[in-house]
Amino acid sequence: MTGPNDLNTEQEGSPDALEALYATLRTNFPDERLSREPGTRWAYGMDNSRLHHPADIVAFPLSHEEVVVLVQAARAHRVPLTTRGRGTGTAGGSVPVHGGLVVVMDRMNAVLEFRPEDRLIRIQTGMINAELQRIVAAAGFFWPPDPTSNALCTVGGNLGCNAAGPHAVKYGTTRENVLGLKAVAGTGATIIAGTETTKGVVGYDLTRLLIGAEGTLGIITEATLKLTPLPDARCLIRAFYRDMHAASQAVSRLMNQPATPAAIEFIDGNALNLMRNHAQNPDALAIPDTAGALLMIEVDGTRDALESQTKMIQQAACGPLTPDRPESAEGASAADPNAPLSLVIAHTPEEMATLWSARKALSPTLRHVAPKKINEDVVVPVSRIPVLIGELDRISLRHAVKIVNFGHAGNGNIHVNLLIDPEDPDQRASAETALAEVFSTVLSLGGTLSGEHGIGAVKREYIRKEIAPESLTLMHGIKRVFDPDGILNPGKKIPD
Amino acid sequence: MTGPNDLNTEQEGSPDALEALYATLRTNFPDERLSREPGTRWAYGMDNSRLHHPADIVAFPLSHEEVVVLVQAARAHRVPLTTRGRGTGTAGGSVPVHGGLVVVMDRMNAVLEFRPEDRLIRIQTGMINAELQRIVAAAGFFWPPDPTSNALCTVGGNLGCNAAGPHAVKYGTTRENVLGLKAVAGTGATIIAGTETTKGVVGYDLTRLLIGAEGTLGIITEATLKLTPLPDARCLIRAFYRDMHAASQAVSRLMNQPATPAAIEFIDGNALNLMRNHAQNPDALAIPDTAGALLMIEVDGTRDALESQTKMIQQAACGPLTPDRPESAEGASAADPNAPLSLVIAHTPEEMATLWSARKALSPTLRHVAPKKINEDVVVPVSRIPVLIGELDRISLRHAVKIVNFGHAGNGNIHVNLLIDPEDPDQRASAETALAEVFSTVLSLGGTLSGEHGIGAVKREYIRKEIAPESLTLMHGIKRVFDPDGILNPGKKIPD
């Protein structure tokens, strides 16, 4: 919502400071890893938000020690420093809104130590998430955080935003899957935090403090990740419901029984309509005419246990058994309008891919409705999803802004998409008002403004709605301890 | 290791300050919840360590607001404030080593909100862990942290030390099972941290920063706990091995397959000898003559899945199949000296209680060997347990200090017990030297000095061995932000 023109530019490095910084860095970095070339500066001035501000200098470090050099030099010359991976973030977290030095981490992608016997891997944080998964899968493990962008995003980005994606419902978020870190504070000091072990209580928990801090407290250069054994079997349930109320009840039942699904993704009625009207091959999606919500439920586990787990989960998805419907089964009972309209289970990778196609057909269709989507990732307690969805419908009507929702239902993590034409000032204004109401509603339901996309530059001014002034004062104090000169990712995460 | 006489007493409140503080508090607290009575001051001057220092004033708050009053008053009069639950800690963390005000939390034990449908409960932190478990079990849930002292210890103590007990191997530690907190900083400011949801990335993670801080950054008054559905079936495997090397190999195999046990407890050969020689009814323990290590492996899950899970876990406990031993079974193969000497599985609660009796027989027998045990809870990566156990044997021989080990093998969390007569200065000196070598060994193996007992007053001076100076500087900075006058639990957690 905030364009670069709205941003305070006081903290930009002066031309002299930038010149001096560049001269310093030239003595440490070869030409191919240090750039002032306009195309490079432009390219590293954007991420997956609409924000853009060119970098002044772009550096590509290869080691922790080189990052120390970069931070010390930026500090000495009082030049802002923004760290980035592949720029898949949607909140402008890696856009250098005050210019300055951009540190691109994706060449720091080495495996430093892989010890399957200790369920850990230590890597440089510029490694792509999917590459990490490939490496650890060879030994029978996975790293549970796998955001939808996992083919592109770096582990460092996952750490910066605590981004975990769909499997957090069973396996926790990023902060639950990291053992320790190496980082560089804004002072240039090296931070060694955490342990190689799953228990540890020596000192304060700097590991979790840096995770989710979006590069404003330190640059995480290396991470020791906690690995989980790959489940040896998996299946996928696709269930259509009459409406989000019925689907949300199913989500509550799913979360209130011992077989926790590996993922519970949902798509609301507006999104289903988009798919009906705009998907390339809508018949293949087999959306029932009366469906107003879709759940995709992933089940994983050991091979012998999968069948019984799936049965429990299927039963929870179908709802309480009634005399009319003595056992859980595909299809709805006439007596229970909240039972699924249809339910299918895919067991082979091919069948699962076919079912996922419905979910994957969604994003492209959003473009048919409006040129821009304002993509939020609010979170509410699971039991309050139906209230939120009802309120979102009302907000949509009140402000004539199309809202489409999908997301990670098991965590209550809802991707609220406001679809607008940004060239239309009326639509922009309506969207801003609607968004403020969305946030107020989320907070009134005990929720939080961002599950994993982060705050970046875009949501920073909303933070005071959620965080009390006394807590914010402590956060400012922490920021000053780690980054006394305010050089690390200025203009992000917490309001000044 | 540190007696009260060794402690710096500079920070004690002056008699005038104490008098003024007492006068202030008298206007806020009724007589039955504020005490200067010598017996009360003495009783609240100890915990489960050997440290003792009487409190000057003891207060029993009932609400967050009363804790704010206590902190603000202590700060105004510059009097040290030590928070405690039931004093089950073994590191002196709740001993008021500088005197001053002791805040006893165990009357703050209310349920504030219980929402099974959102898998959460919000409580006051003075609630006893076992009471919490009883309340949430009624709705089919449990809270995974359950230290051995769970019948006595408060949730606040669990939070302060990040103490989680045996089930952390499958369910994570305390920090992985808390959603949000309310607390009072040393400034008297109210901290509201975290969310009601399993995802959330707004602001810095003050929740995890306060967990494990042992009351040095803030007093946690209320906590929103993440609940887990109770498994509906459980069984227990008891396996004796020739030595810790064989048992450790089994632990590695157990952690390197997808069916993660709910607990993997171990007891070493020295501890088995104690049980052989001193247990009330050693025959009932059925310890094989040649056994040098014991694993207790708990399996939990859904009823239908338990059998297959148990089979996988049993197989991992038994080791690779060989031509001589074509299927995993009770008893050892002559061809594989590392296979279990005996392995039994208990399915009913009564059978499980019988098997656990071996483990529970251990603690009383320790007293037969020496009047004092120095009880450490170091952690090493799982694969390095056998190396550590070997080194501990050598340290024990070198310094003629009896060392007995047991603990949570799945986390590499080893309770190292040095058994000595504290009246014998030679034994004390040997134990100190031995302990320093234990810590050095642990750190050289990539381990950490405390898994969950905490640092308290006892281990504080060892912290510099583990935490690098630059990280410690940041921790001191955080301490100053939260507690600028240093009134919260002085003399604990991190060295000055």
Side-chain angles (χ1 to χ4, degrees):
Chain A
M1 300 302 301
T2 309
N5 296 339
D6 307 321
L7 294 164
N8 167 8
T9 53
E10 283 179 346
Q11 285 162 280
E12 300 210 17
S14 71
D16 285 355
L18 289 166
E19 201 58 49
L21 172 62
Y22 185 71
T24 303
L25 296 180
R26 290 264 289 170
T27 66
N28 290 283
F29 287 81
D31 286 350
E32 69 273 19
R33 297 200 286 108
L34 186 71
S35 177
R36 287 203 291 188
E37 192 272 314
T40 304
R41 291 172 49 208
W42 192 87
Y44 288 104
M46 67 173 82
D47 67 3
N48 196 23
S49 69
R50 290 258 162 157
L51 286 186
H52 186 255
H53 190 295
D56 292 302
I57 304 171
V58 182
F60 302 86
L62 297 181
S63 68
H64 174 86
E65 290 67 30
E66 286 192 351
V67 176
V68 171
V69 168
L70 290 166
V71 175
Q72 287 177 340
R75 188 184 187 201
H77 299 289
R78 297 291 188 276
V79 171
L81 185 162
T82 301
T83 311
R84 61 175 289 140
R86 286 286 175 91
T88 56
T90 60
S94 60
V95 174
V97 292
H98 297 297
L101 175 64
V102 167
V103 176
V104 184
M105 295 293 285
D106 66 357
R107 299 190 194 179
M108 285 182 59
N109 59 3
V111 174
L112 301 172
E113 201 177 6
F114 181 21
R115 303 212 310 260
E117 67 277 20
D118 291 318
R119 291 190 173 190
L120 68 82
I121 188 168
R122 192 160 60 86
I123 61 165
Q124 288 183 316
T125 54
M127 181 178 284
I128 302 300
N129 183 298
E131 171 69 2
L132 167 70
Q133 306 293 358
R134 195 188 59 71
I135 292 166
V136 300
F141 288 89
F142 73 115
W143 189 55
D146 63 341
T148 313
S149 59
N150 72 341
L152 292 170
C153 62
T154 63
V155 172
N158 306 157
L159 297 169
C161 292
N162 193 35
H167 297 113
V169 61
K170 180 166 181 177
Y171 296 102
T173 64
T174 302
R175 70 166 75 95
E176 280 84 43
N177 289 284
V178 176
L179 299 172
L181 298 175
K182 193 167 178 180
V184 184
T187 56
T190 288
I191 304 169
I192 296 171
T195 55
E196 292 187 6
T197 57
T198 47
K199 285 187 179 174
V201 68
V202 174
Y204 298 138
D205 187 353
L206 304 186
T207 306
R208 258 53 61 170
L209 191 59
L210 289 174
I211 292 173
E214 302 183 33
T216 61
L217 298 180
I219 302 174
I220 304 172
T221 55
E222 299 175 11
T224 306
L225 307 177
K226 178 184 171 185
L227 301 177
T228 300
L230 273 171
D232 50 22
R234 194 184 300 274
C235 73
L236 182 63
I237 299 173
R238 187 184 70 184
F240 286 103
Y241 295 85
R242 188 179 58 164
D243 53 24
M244 273 307 295
H245 178 73
S248 299
Q249 285 193 331
V251 172
S252 277
R253 288 192 302 269
L254 285 163
M255 295 304 288
N256 207 346
Q257 52 87 42
T260 301
I264 311 177
E265 300 289 293
F266 86 97
I267 291 176
D268 80 353
N270 291 337
L272 287 181
N273 278 336
L274 281 179
M275 287 155 60
R276 284 191 183 97
N277 297 331
H278 300 289
Q280 286 204 321
N281 183 8
D283 291 345
L285 303 177
I287 307 173
D289 288 345
T290 54
L294 164 62
L295 292 186
M296 309 283 291
I297 308 159
E298 193 176 297
V299 188
D300 68 9
T302 57
R303 193 163 290 111
D304 290 346
L306 195 75
E307 190 183 328
S308 65
Q309 302 262 91
T310 305
K311 204 168 146 192
M312 293 173 73
I313 287 171
Q314 183 183 350
Q315 200 144 305
C318 287
L321 302 181
T322 62
D324 288 334
R325 199 162 53 80
E327 57 180 272
S328 66
E330 183 179 329
S333 152
D336 180 4
N338 290 326
L341 304 173
S342 85
L343 185 150
V344 293
I345 306 182
H347 292 279
T348 68
E350 296 73 28
E351 288 169 353
M352 286 191 258
T354 303
L355 292 200
W356 275 123
S357 68
R359 170 78 163 83
K360 289 189 175 152
L362 180 59
S363 275
T365 66
L366 294 178
R367 294 196 201 105
H368 289 278
V369 181
K372 176 166 168 65
K373 60 172 182 179
I374 298 170
N375 172 7
E376 298 301 333
D377 81 316
V378 300
V379 195
V380 293
V382 168
S383 74
R384 293 167 182 174
I385 296 175
V387 183
L388 175 66
I389 298 289
E391 284 300 317
L392 291 173
D393 279 348
R394 277 184 281 279
I395 291 168
S396 170
L397 281 173
R398 191 153 57 231
H399 301 287
V401 172
K402 188 93 183 164
I403 300 183
V404 170
N405 306 297
F406 56 92
H408 315 302
N411 298 104
N413 189 191
I414 315 294
H415 295 268
V416 178
N417 294 272
L418 283 66
L419 305 176
I420 63 163
D421 178 357
E423 304 299 317
D424 178 343
D426 286 352
Q427 282 197 31
R428 275 190 60 165
S430 297
E432 289 214 28
T433 314
L435 193 60
E437 289 183 18
V438 169
F439 287 160
S440 297
T441 303
V442 165
L443 293 176
S444 74
L445 295 173
T448 182
L449 300 184
S450 177
E452 57 191 13
H453 289 185
I455 304 305
V458 171
K459 273 171 276 188
R460 204 166 69 116
E461 292 311 318
Y462 293 100
I463 297 312
R464 288 184 203 278
K465 287 190 167 198
E466 179 165 341
I467 299 182
E470 290 186 322
S471 298
L472 198 55
T473 299
L474 293 170
M475 292 179 191
H476 284 140
I478 292 170
K479 169 73 175 173
R480 278 192 298 275
V481 168
F482 280 75
D483 182 24
D485 302 298
I487 59 165
L488 291 185
N489 214 359
K492 309 292 173 62
K493 187 71 186 176
I494 54 173
D496 293 329
Chain B
M1 299 303 300
T2 310
N5 297 338
D6 307 322
L7 294 164
N8 167 6
T9 53
E10 283 178 346
Q11 285 162 280
E12 299 212 16
S14 71
D16 285 355
L18 289 166
E19 200 59 48
L21 172 63
Y22 186 69
T24 304
L25 295 180
R26 289 265 290 171
T27 66
N28 289 283
F29 287 81
D31 286 349
E32 69 272 21
R33 297 199 287 107
L34 186 71
S35 178
R36 286 204 293 187
E37 193 273 312
T40 305
R41 291 171 48 206
W42 191 87
Y44 288 104
M46 68 173 81
D47 68 3
N48 196 24
S49 70
R50 291 260 161 155
L51 285 185
H52 186 255
H53 189 294
D56 291 303
I57 306 172
V58 182
F60 302 85
L62 298 181
S63 68
H64 174 85
E65 290 67 28
E66 286 191 351
V67 176
V68 171
V69 168
L70 291 167
V71 175
Q72 287 178 340
R75 188 183 186 201
H77 298 290
R78 296 292 188 277
V79 170
L81 186 163
T82 301
T83 311
R84 61 175 289 140
R86 286 287 175 90
T88 55
T90 59
S94 60
V95 174
V97 292
H98 297 296
L101 176 63
V102 167
V103 176
V104 185
M105 295 294 285
D106 65 358
R107 299 190 195 180
M108 287 183 57
N109 58 5
V111 174
L112 302 172
E113 200 178 7
F114 181 22
R115 303 212 312 260
E117 67 276 20
D118 290 318
R119 291 190 173 188
L120 67 83
I121 188 169
R122 191 160 59 86
I123 60 165
Q124 288 183 316
T125 53
M127 180 178 284
I128 302 300
N129 183 297
E131 171 68 2
L132 166 70
Q133 307 293 359
R134 195 189 59 73
I135 292 167
V136 301
F141 288 89
F142 73 114
W143 189 55
D146 62 341
T148 312
S149 59
N150 72 340
L152 291 171
C153 62
T154 63
V155 172
N158 305 156
L159 296 170
C161 292
N162 193 36
H167 296 112
V169 60
K170 181 167 182 178
Y171 295 102
T173 65
T174 301
R175 70 165 75 97
E176 279 85 43
N177 289 284
V178 177
L179 299 172
L181 297 175
K182 193 167 178 179
V184 185
T187 57
T190 289
I191 304 169
I192 296 172
T195 55
E196 293 187 4
T197 57
T198 46
K199 284 187 179 175
V201 67
V202 174
Y204 297 139
D205 187 352
L206 304 186
T207 306
R208 257 54 60 173
L209 190 59
L210 290 173
I211 293 173
E214 302 183 33
T216 61
L217 298 180
I219 302 174
I220 303 172
T221 55
E222 300 175 11
T224 305
L225 308 177
K226 178 184 172 186
L227 301 176
T228 300
L230 272 170
D232 49 22
R234 195 183 299 274
C235 72
L236 181 63
I237 300 171
R238 187 184 70 184
F240 285 103
Y241 295 84
R242 189 178 58 166
D243 54 24
M244 274 305 296
H245 177 73
S248 300
Q249 285 194 330
V251 172
S252 278
R253 287 191 304 267
L254 285 162
M255 295 304 288
N256 208 347
Q257 51 87 40
T260 301
I264 310 176
E265 300 288 294
F266 86 96
I267 291 175
D268 80 352
N270 291 337
L272 287 181
N273 278 336
L274 282 179
M275 288 155 61
R276 284 191 183 97
N277 297 331
H278 300 290
Q280 287 205 322
N281 183 7
D283 290 345
L285 304 177
I287 307 173
D289 288 344
T290 52
L294 164 61
L295 293 186
M296 309 282 291
I297 307 159
E298 194 177 296
V299 187
D300 68 9
T302 58
R303 194 163 289 111
D304 289 348
L306 195 75
E307 190 184 329
S308 65
Q309 302 261 92
T310 306
K311 203 167 147 191
M312 291 173 75
I313 287 171
Q314 183 184 350
Q315 199 144 307
C318 287
L321 303 181
T322 61
D324 287 335
R325 198 163 54 82
E327 55 182 273
S328 66
E330 183 179 327
S333 153
D336 180 4
N338 290 325
L341 304 173
S342 85
L343 184 150
V344 293
I345 307 182
H347 292 279
T348 69
E350 296 72 28
E351 288 170 352
M352 285 191 258
T354 303
L355 290 201
W356 275 123
S357 69
R359 170 78 161 82
K360 289 187 175 154
L362 180 58
S363 275
T365 65
L366 294 179
R367 294 195 202 105
H368 289 278
V369 181
K372 176 165 168 68
K373 60 173 181 179
I374 299 170
N375 172 8
E376 298 300 333
D377 81 316
V378 300
V379 194
V380 292
V382 168
S383 73
R384 292 166 183 175
I385 296 174
V387 183
L388 176 66
I389 298 290
E391 283 300 316
L392 291 173
D393 280 347
R394 276 184 282 277
I395 291 168
S396 170
L397 281 173
R398 191 154 56 230
H399 301 287
V401 173
K402 188 94 182 163
I403 300 183
V404 170
N405 306 297
F406 55 94
H408 315 302
N411 298 104
N413 189 189
I414 315 295
H415 294 268
V416 177
N417 294 272
L418 282 66
L419 305 176
I420 63 163
D421 178 357
E423 304 300 317
D424 178 342
D426 285 352
Q427 282 198 30
R428 276 188 61 165
S430 296
E432 290 214 28
T433 314
L435 194 59
E437 289 184 18
V438 170
F439 287 159
S440 298
T441 303
V442 165
L443 294 175
S444 74
L445 294 172
T448 182
L449 299 185
S450 176
E452 56 192 13
H453 289 187
I455 304 307
V458 171
K459 271 171 276 189
R460 204 165 70 117
E461 293 311 319
Y462 294 100
I463 298 312
R464 289 185 202 276
K465 287 189 166 197
E466 177 164 343
I467 299 182
E470 290 186 322
S471 299
L472 197 56
T473 299
L474 293 170
M475 292 179 190
H476 283 140
I478 292 170
K479 169 73 175 174
R480 279 192 298 274
V481 168
F482 281 75
D483 181 24
D485 302 298
I487 59 165
L488 292 185
N489 214 359
K492 309 291 173 63
K493 187 71 187 175
I494 55 172
D496 293 327

Short mmCIF file of all heavy atoms in Angstrom, two decimals, chain A residues 338-361:
data_model
loop_
_atom_site.label_atom_id
_atom_site.label_comp_id
_atom_site.label_asym_id
_atom_site.label_seq_id
_atom_site.Cartn_x
_atom_site.Cartn_y
_atom_site.Cartn_z
N ASN A 338 -23.78 -29.99 6.44
CA ASN A 338 -22.38 -29.58 6.57
C ASN A 338 -21.40 -30.68 6.17
O ASN A 338 -20.20 -30.47 6.20
CB ASN A 338 -22.10 -29.13 8.00
CG ASN A 338 -22.78 -27.81 8.30
OD1 ASN A 338 -22.92 -26.97 7.42
ND2 ASN A 338 -23.25 -27.65 9.53
N ALA A 339 -21.90 -31.84 5.84
CA ALA A 339 -21.02 -32.92 5.38
C ALA A 339 -20.47 -32.56 4.00
O ALA A 339 -21.04 -31.73 3.30
CB ALA A 339 -21.79 -34.23 5.33
N PRO A 340 -19.35 -33.17 3.62
CA PRO A 340 -18.79 -32.85 2.30
C PRO A 340 -19.76 -33.19 1.17
O PRO A 340 -20.49 -34.18 1.25
CB PRO A 340 -17.54 -33.73 2.22
CG PRO A 340 -17.27 -34.24 3.58
CD PRO A 340 -18.54 -34.15 4.36
N LEU A 341 -19.74 -32.37 0.14
CA LEU A 341 -20.52 -32.66 -1.06
C LEU A 341 -19.86 -33.76 -1.87
O LEU A 341 -20.51 -34.54 -2.54
CB LEU A 341 -20.64 -31.39 -1.91
CG LEU A 341 -21.24 -30.17 -1.20
CD1 LEU A 341 -21.14 -28.94 -2.09
CD2 LEU A 341 -22.69 -30.45 -0.82
N SER A 342 -18.54 -33.75 -1.84
CA SER A 342 -17.80 -34.86 -2.44
C SER A 342 -16.47 -34.96 -1.73
O SER A 342 -15.96 -33.96 -1.21
CB SER A 342 -17.61 -34.66 -3.95
OG SER A 342 -16.47 -33.86 -4.18
N LEU A 343 -15.96 -36.18 -1.69
CA LEU A 343 -14.68 -36.39 -1.02
C LEU A 343 -13.96 -37.50 -1.77
O LEU A 343 -14.49 -38.60 -1.94
CB LEU A 343 -14.92 -36.78 0.44
CG LEU A 343 -13.68 -36.94 1.34
CD1 LEU A 343 -14.02 -36.58 2.79
CD2 LEU A 343 -13.09 -38.33 1.26
N VAL A 344 -12.75 -37.18 -2.23
CA VAL A 344 -11.96 -38.22 -2.91
C VAL A 344 -10.58 -38.27 -2.26
O VAL A 344 -10.08 -37.28 -1.72
CB VAL A 344 -11.80 -37.95 -4.43
CG1 VAL A 344 -13.14 -38.08 -5.14
CG2 VAL A 344 -11.19 -36.59 -4.68
N ILE A 345 -9.99 -39.44 -2.33
CA ILE A 345 -8.66 -39.64 -1.75
C ILE A 345 -7.71 -40.10 -2.84
O ILE A 345 -8.00 -41.07 -3.55
CB ILE A 345 -8.69 -40.69 -0.63
CG1 ILE A 345 -9.76 -40.32 0.42
CG2 ILE A 345 -7.32 -40.82 0.03
CD1 ILE A 345 -9.83 -41.29 1.58
N ALA A 346 -6.60 -39.38 -2.97
CA ALA A 346 -5.58 -39.76 -3.94
C ALA A 346 -4.44 -40.46 -3.23
O ALA A 346 -4.00 -40.00 -2.16
CB ALA A 346 -5.06 -38.51 -4.65
N HIS A 347 -3.98 -41.55 -3.80
CA HIS A 347 -2.91 -42.31 -3.15
C HIS A 347 -1.60 -42.28 -3.92
O HIS A 347 -0.54 -42.32 -3.31
CB HIS A 347 -3.36 -43.77 -2.95
CG HIS A 347 -4.46 -43.91 -1.94
ND1 HIS A 347 -4.24 -43.93 -0.59
CD2 HIS A 347 -5.80 -43.99 -2.10
CE1 HIS A 347 -5.38 -44.04 0.05
NE2 HIS A 347 -6.36 -44.08 -0.84
N THR A 348 -1.66 -42.21 -5.23
CA THR A 348 -0.42 -42.21 -6.00
C THR A 348 0.03 -40.77 -6.24
O THR A 348 -0.79 -39.84 -6.19
CB THR A 348 -0.61 -42.89 -7.37
OG1 THR A 348 -1.48 -42.05 -8.15
CG2 THR A 348 -1.23 -44.27 -7.22
N PRO A 349 1.31 -40.57 -6.51
CA PRO A 349 1.79 -39.22 -6.80
C PRO A 349 1.02 -38.59 -7.96
O PRO A 349 0.72 -37.39 -7.94
CB PRO A 349 3.27 -39.44 -7.17
CG PRO A 349 3.66 -40.68 -6.46
CD PRO A 349 2.43 -41.55 -6.44
N GLU A 350 0.64 -39.40 -8.98
CA GLU A 350 -0.07 -38.86 -10.13
C GLU A 350 -1.47 -38.38 -9.71
O GLU A 350 -1.90 -37.28 -10.07
CB GLU A 350 -0.20 -39.91 -11.24
CG GLU A 350 1.15 -40.35 -11.83
CD GLU A 350 1.96 -41.25 -10.90
OE1 GLU A 350 1.36 -41.97 -10.06
OE2 GLU A 350 3.21 -41.19 -10.95
N GLU A 351 -2.15 -39.22 -8.94
CA GLU A 351 -3.48 -38.82 -8.47
C GLU A 351 -3.41 -37.56 -7.61
O GLU A 351 -4.25 -36.67 -7.70
CB GLU A 351 -4.11 -39.94 -7.63
CG GLU A 351 -4.56 -41.16 -8.41
CD GLU A 351 -4.92 -42.33 -7.49
OE1 GLU A 351 -4.68 -42.25 -6.25
OE2 GLU A 351 -5.42 -43.35 -7.99
N MET A 352 -2.39 -37.50 -6.77
CA MET A 352 -2.25 -36.32 -5.90
C MET A 352 -1.99 -35.07 -6.74
O MET A 352 -2.56 -34.01 -6.47
CB MET A 352 -1.14 -36.54 -4.88
CG MET A 352 -1.55 -37.51 -3.77
SD MET A 352 -0.38 -37.54 -2.39
CE MET A 352 0.49 -39.04 -2.75
N ALA A 353 -1.17 -35.21 -7.76
CA ALA A 353 -0.88 -34.05 -8.62
C ALA A 353 -2.16 -33.56 -9.28
O ALA A 353 -2.39 -32.35 -9.42
CB ALA A 353 0.18 -34.43 -9.66
N THR A 354 -3.01 -34.49 -9.69
CA THR A 354 -4.28 -34.11 -10.32
C THR A 354 -5.14 -33.32 -9.34
O THR A 354 -5.71 -32.28 -9.67
CB THR A 354 -5.04 -35.37 -10.78
OG1 THR A 354 -4.20 -36.11 -11.66
CG2 THR A 354 -6.34 -35.00 -11.49
N LEU A 355 -5.23 -33.80 -8.10
CA LEU A 355 -6.03 -33.08 -7.10
C LEU A 355 -5.44 -31.71 -6.80
O LEU A 355 -6.16 -30.72 -6.70
CB LEU A 355 -6.15 -33.88 -5.81
CG LEU A 355 -6.97 -35.17 -5.83
CD1 LEU A 355 -7.38 -35.54 -4.42
CD2 LEU A 355 -8.20 -35.03 -6.71
N TRP A 356 -4.12 -31.64 -6.67
CA TRP A 356 -3.49 -30.34 -6.38
C TRP A 356 -3.73 -29.35 -7.52
O TRP A 356 -3.64 -28.14 -7.34
CB TRP A 356 -1.99 -30.49 -6.14
CG TRP A 356 -1.60 -30.85 -4.73
CD1 TRP A 356 -0.86 -31.94 -4.36
CD2 TRP A 356 -1.90 -30.14 -3.53
NE1 TRP A 356 -0.70 -31.96 -3.00
CE2 TRP A 356 -1.32 -30.86 -2.45
CE3 TRP A 356 -2.61 -28.98 -3.23
CZ2 TRP A 356 -1.42 -30.45 -1.11
CZ3 TRP A 356 -2.72 -28.57 -1.90
CH2 TRP A 356 -2.13 -29.30 -0.87
N SER A 357 -4.01 -29.87 -8.72
CA SER A 357 -4.18 -28.97 -9.87
C SER A 357 -5.28 -27.94 -9.59
O SER A 357 -5.20 -26.81 -10.06
CB SER A 357 -4.49 -29.76 -11.14
OG SER A 357 -5.78 -30.35 -11.04
N ALA A 358 -6.30 -28.32 -8.83
CA ALA A 358 -7.36 -27.36 -8.51
C ALA A 358 -6.77 -26.19 -7.75
O ALA A 358 -7.03 -25.02 -8.07
CB ALA A 358 -8.44 -28.04 -7.67
N ARG A 359 -5.96 -26.50 -6.75
CA ARG A 359 -5.34 -25.44 -5.96
C ARG A 359 -4.40 -24.60 -6.82
O ARG A 359 -4.37 -23.38 -6.71
CB ARG A 359 -4.59 -26.10 -4.79
CG ARG A 359 -3.68 -25.21 -3.98
CD ARG A 359 -4.49 -24.36 -3.01
NE ARG A 359 -3.62 -23.81 -1.96
CZ ARG A 359 -2.88 -22.72 -2.09
NH1 ARG A 359 -2.87 -22.05 -3.22
NH2 ARG A 359 -2.12 -22.29 -1.08
N LYS A 360 -3.65 -25.28 -7.67
CA LYS A 360 -2.66 -24.55 -8.46
C LYS A 360 -3.29 -23.76 -9.58
O LYS A 360 -2.70 -22.81 -10.10
CB LYS A 360 -1.61 -25.53 -9.01
CG LYS A 360 -0.73 -26.04 -7.88
CD LYS A 360 0.46 -26.83 -8.32
CE LYS A 360 1.32 -27.19 -7.12
NZ LYS A 360 2.09 -28.41 -7.30
N ALA A 361 -4.53 -24.13 -9.98
CA ALA A 361 -5.23 -23.38 -11.03
C ALA A 361 -5.67 -22.02 -10.52
O ALA A 361 -6.04 -21.14 -11.29
CB ALA A 361 -6.46 -24.17 -11.49
#
